[in-house]
Amino acid sequence: MSMPQYILVTGATGFIGAHVVDELLRRGHNVRAATRSLEKGELMQMARPQYAAQLDIVKVSDFTASASFAEAVQGVAGIIHVASPFTYDTTNNEEELVKPAIAGVKAVLDAAATQSSVKRVVITSSFAAVLDVNRKAPPRFTYTAADWNPLSYEEAVAKETSAVVAYRGSKKFAEKAAWEFVEERKPAFDVVTLCPPMTFGPIAHPVQKLADLNESNAMLWNVASGKDMPVARVPFWVDVRDLAVAHVEALLRAEAGGKRYVVASPEKFSYGVVKRVVEEEFPWGKERVAKGEQEIEDSYDLDGETAGKELGVRYRSFRETVKDFVEQAVEMEGSEQR
Ligand SMILES: NC(=O)c1ccc[n+]([C@@H]2O[C@H](COP(=O)([O-])OP(=O)(O)OC[C@H]3O[C@@H](n4cnc5c(N)ncnc54)[C@H](OP(=O)(O)O)[C@@H]3O)[C@@H](O)[C@H]2O)c1
């Protein structure tokens, strides 16, 4: 009897990773979920008793060394590499954001190359690797997957650089490292990269309290709970469930091999829209939401339709995404207070 084939998902106990795991499980795949914390891994398993036979947890303590993935990659058919540091709460941007992001991609690809079973590696990059902050309309323009952030490594790691800019560098140079690996090493597998913008939606990963929400959803909660109106750096977003579908389709569709996709809803957002949706959808909304307004930045566009078409993703509406997440967050708040 042959061993069942597994898909390895890194960052499986994070916001996006957990949805990728769920999308794979729903479609009947066996998943090996890599996490730094076995405790979180066990919580993931306990929350999915129906998938006990399909979901394995593997601890990868240091995802920057390829040796750490030696056990995790054994016999896997494909890898979805989601893990990367995503936080703006840093003291040393190069050490905490940039270097681990790049080393993580290299380690996963090195480990993948040791296994002839691996046919494809899908990597979660970011719109941060696409964005050029100095490009301004008019004339109106549309970002596509052909665009690259022009940031230099030196700019990304400079002492005076903010964590936001360093994060953009971390995603750019990590993704570049992947394409360079393919170019230089010509591995037996192919690579697909996905560049999502702000990703929002309900959470499926283990989060004990609202204070531990991932960076992007924390922004939605800040608006809904009246904390503040964050700055929308770009007007682009995607629902985490749609992004999970894109990851799995990118893994399975033969024709996606070697491509880079921007996975984004055609609908634009601002935190002002978040405020309106919360006011309209929740009886407590008007009383509680953050003060202030924010217009949608509508002088440039992003082509998410190509990914939608080629990966078969039907993008949800922003209203549905905000509503589903806020409903869940309010429930979490209630149980924290009980
Ligand atoms: N959320 C967004 O708006 C957004 C948009 C575009 C792209 N992305 C990309 O999507 C991916 C996942 O982000 P997310 O939003 O799901 O954030 P998240 O919830 O913070 O997840 C990040 C994941 O990466 C893992 N990770 C971070 N630093 C690590 C390190 N040094 N060593 C090992 N594992 C590490 C975390 O592991 P633990 O579970 O063990 O902590 C976690 O599972 C990242 O590549 C991010 O750049 C996110």
Side-chain angles (χ1 to χ4, degrees), residues 214-227:
N214 63 292
E215 205 63 48
S216 49
N217 272 339
M219 305 288 165
L220 292 190
W221 184 238
N222 284 353
V223 178
S225 62
K227 199 165 164 220

Side-chain angles (χ1 to χ4, degrees), residues 238-273:
V238 67
D239 184 285
V240 67
R241 295 160 290 188
D242 299 341
L243 181 58
V245 169
H247 276 82
V248 175
E249 292 295 338
L251 180 79
L252 301 177
R253 291 188 183 217
E255 60 280 14
K259 291 198 180 159
R260 182 182 198 226
Y261 288 106
V262 174
V263 186
S265 162
E267 189 186 351
K268 291 195 177 112
F269 93 101
S270 75
Y271 291 105
V273 180

Side-chain angles (χ1 to χ4, degrees), residues 62-328:
D62 173 14
F63 86 149
T64 60
S66 68
S68 316
F69 286 102
E71 180 200 341
V73 292
Q74 287 300 318
V76 298
I79 301 175
I80 303 186
H81 178 50
V82 186
S84 203
F86 183 22
T87 173
Y88 298 142
D89 184 13
T90 57
T91 48
N92 183 328
N93 290 333
E94 186 171 20
E95 295 302 325
E96 293 165 56
L97 291 174
V98 184
K99 281 186 179 170
I102 299 169
V105 164
K106 286 185 176 169
V108 164
L109 294 176
D110 265 334
T114 66
Q115 303 292 310
S116 58
S117 55
V118 177
K119 301 289 175 265
R120 177 162 297 168
V121 180
V122 176
I123 296 174
T124 316
S125 183
S126 171
F127 178 68
V130 175
L131 172 77
D132 176 356
V133 284
N134 295 317
R135 195 170 170 194
K136 302 262 189 259
R140 198 177 181 94
F141 62 92
T142 301
Y143 280 109
T144 72
D147 293 310
W148 280 92
N149 184 340
L151 198 68
S152 71
Y153 189 89
E154 291 66 32
E155 285 167 327
V157 301
K159 290 275 173 288
E160 64 278 12
T161 297
S162 69
V164 172
V165 175
Y167 170 74
R168 290 181 188 143
S170 80
K171 297 306 289 181
K172 171 186 176 173
F173 293 106
E175 192 192 342
K176 283 267 179 211
W179 292 121
E180 278 160 23
F181 184 98
V182 171
E183 184 76 22
E184 285 160 20
R185 299 269 297 270
K186 307 204 172 9
F189 55 83
D190 58 17
V191 165
V192 184
T193 62
L194 301 183
C195 301
M198 288 300 282
T199 305
F200 300 121
I203 58 172
H205 64 302
V207 175
Q208 307 299 339
K209 49 187 194 310
L210 285 165
D212 296 339
L213 275 175
N214 63 292
E215 205 63 48
S216 49
N217 272 339
M219 305 288 165
L220 292 190
W221 184 238
N222 284 353
V223 178
S225 62
K227 199 165 164 220
D228 63 25
M229 184 74 92
V231 182
R233 296 188 181 88
V234 291
F236 310 124
W237 69 284
V238 67
D239 184 285
V240 67
R241 295 160 290 188
D242 299 341
L243 181 58
V245 169
H247 276 82
V248 175
E249 292 295 338
L251 180 79
L252 301 177
R253 291 188 183 217
E255 60 280 14
K259 291 198 180 159
R260 182 182 198 226
Y261 288 106
V262 174
V263 186
S265 162
E267 189 186 351
K268 291 195 177 112
F269 93 101
S270 75
Y271 291 105
V273 180
V274 176
K275 176 175 171 169
R276 267 202 306 286
V277 171
V278 175
E279 285 174 345
E280 287 165 13
E281 295 289 342
F282 298 92
W284 49 265
K286 284 201 174 63
E287 306 271 294
R288 197 170 174 193
V289 284
K291 306 234 167 348
E293 289 302 328
Q294 193 178 94
E295 294 299 310
I296 293 177
E297 162 64 74
D298 190 28
S299 62
Y300 57 98
D301 301 296
L302 173 62
D303 168 32
E305 279 95 338
T306 301
K309 216 162 47 217
E310 293 189 17
L311 299 175
V313 182
R314 289 183 55 220
Y315 296 112
R316 281 175 171 78
S317 72
F318 192 58
R319 179 171 292 268
E320 181 183 345
T321 302
V322 172
K323 190 168 166 270
D324 289 352
F325 166 72
V326 174
E327 244 163 37
Q328 188 189 29

